[in-house]
Amino acid sequence: MNKGTECVRKILEDHGIPYTCQRGEILSLFIAEPKHYKPNEVFRLLKDKGIGIATVYRTLEILRECGIIIEISAGRDVFYRMKKPESNCIYAHFLCDVCGKIYDCLDSGAAKKCSDFFDLLENSMDMTIKDVNITIKGLCNECKNKEGG
Ligand SMILES: [Zn+2]
């Protein structure tokens, strides 16, 4: 077993999921190229390895349930991507209305302000926020420039 496989197996087992080749292949995809995947994209990339669409859906669900990947709903589409341990709580995504691309919003200043906002909310409403999933919609930089010029 090579090092990559060993690492994937460890992630799965740390989350209480028994390792199977198919789960390993799907998780490896997310690790090898960290981006947002639609289920049918995962299927398309892995169908040569004999992984069916039903297995893709089932595996994504298992990985999401145990917190290895997160699900992002954007309009009619659902995307998945690795959960980033360093940004434990707040995920903001920008969805372009025109080209449909998804961008991570990675502004640490804005994240700090957001996190202050949730702290306030937790205190004033006496509740615990465990996960925040924000989708911001609009016009991305590329499309904005196309439209302007
Ligand atoms: Zn765009």
Side-chain angles (χ1 to χ4, degrees):
M1 193 179 287
N2 68 38
K3 213 163 179 212
T5 312
E6 195 56 63
C7 164
V8 167
R9 178 194 279 269
K10 185 164 180 346
I11 294 175
L12 288 170
E13 287 175 353
D14 282 352
H15 286 81
I17 306 167
Y19 175 87
T20 66
C21 282
Q22 294 168 331
R23 287 170 185 165
E25 291 290 353
I26 291 173
L27 183 54
S28 297
L29 190 68
F30 282 90
I31 294 171
E33 202 187 334
K35 52 172 236 172
H36 303 85
Y37 291 99
K38 287 188 203 179
N40 59 11
E41 213 177 340
V42 174
F43 169 66
R44 192 172 46 77
L45 291 166
L46 295 178
K47 65 174 188 238
D48 290 347
K49 305 197 183 225
I51 298 177
I53 188 80
T55 304
V56 168
Y57 275 104
R58 206 166 49 237
T59 305
L60 291 174
E61 186 56 26
I62 293 168
L63 296 177
R64 187 191 62 78
E65 266 178 9
C66 70
I68 297 178
I69 60 173
I70 61 163
E71 184 183 281
I72 304 145
S73 304
R76 279 166 297 145
D77 290 322
V78 177
F79 296 84
Y80 293 88
R81 70 133 218 245
M82 285 297 281
K83 184 166 181 163
K84 290 193 189 109
E86 71 273 19
S87 59
N88 228 346
C89 184
I90 299 167
Y91 303 104
H93 304 95
F94 180 89
L95 172 70
C96 178
D97 277 340
V98 177
C99 64
K101 262 189 218 156
I102 278 204
Y103 299 85
D104 286 320
C105 299
L106 295 171
D107 182 306
S108 57
K112 172 79 178 66
K113 288 221 165 91
C114 239
S115 129
D116 289 349
F117 168 72
F118 294 121
D119 282 350
L120 278 173
L121 213 57
E122 277 193 323
N123 289 330
S124 69
M125 298 186 71
D126 189 25
M127 58 189 188
T128 304
I129 298 172
K130 290 188 172 168
D131 194 12
V132 179
N133 193 343
I134 305 169
T135 303
I136 305 158
K137 286 186 174 184
L139 210 56
C140 78
N141 183 270
E142 267 173 49
C143 294
K144 206 169 112 181
N145 288 338
K146 261 184 228 158
E147 216 171 59

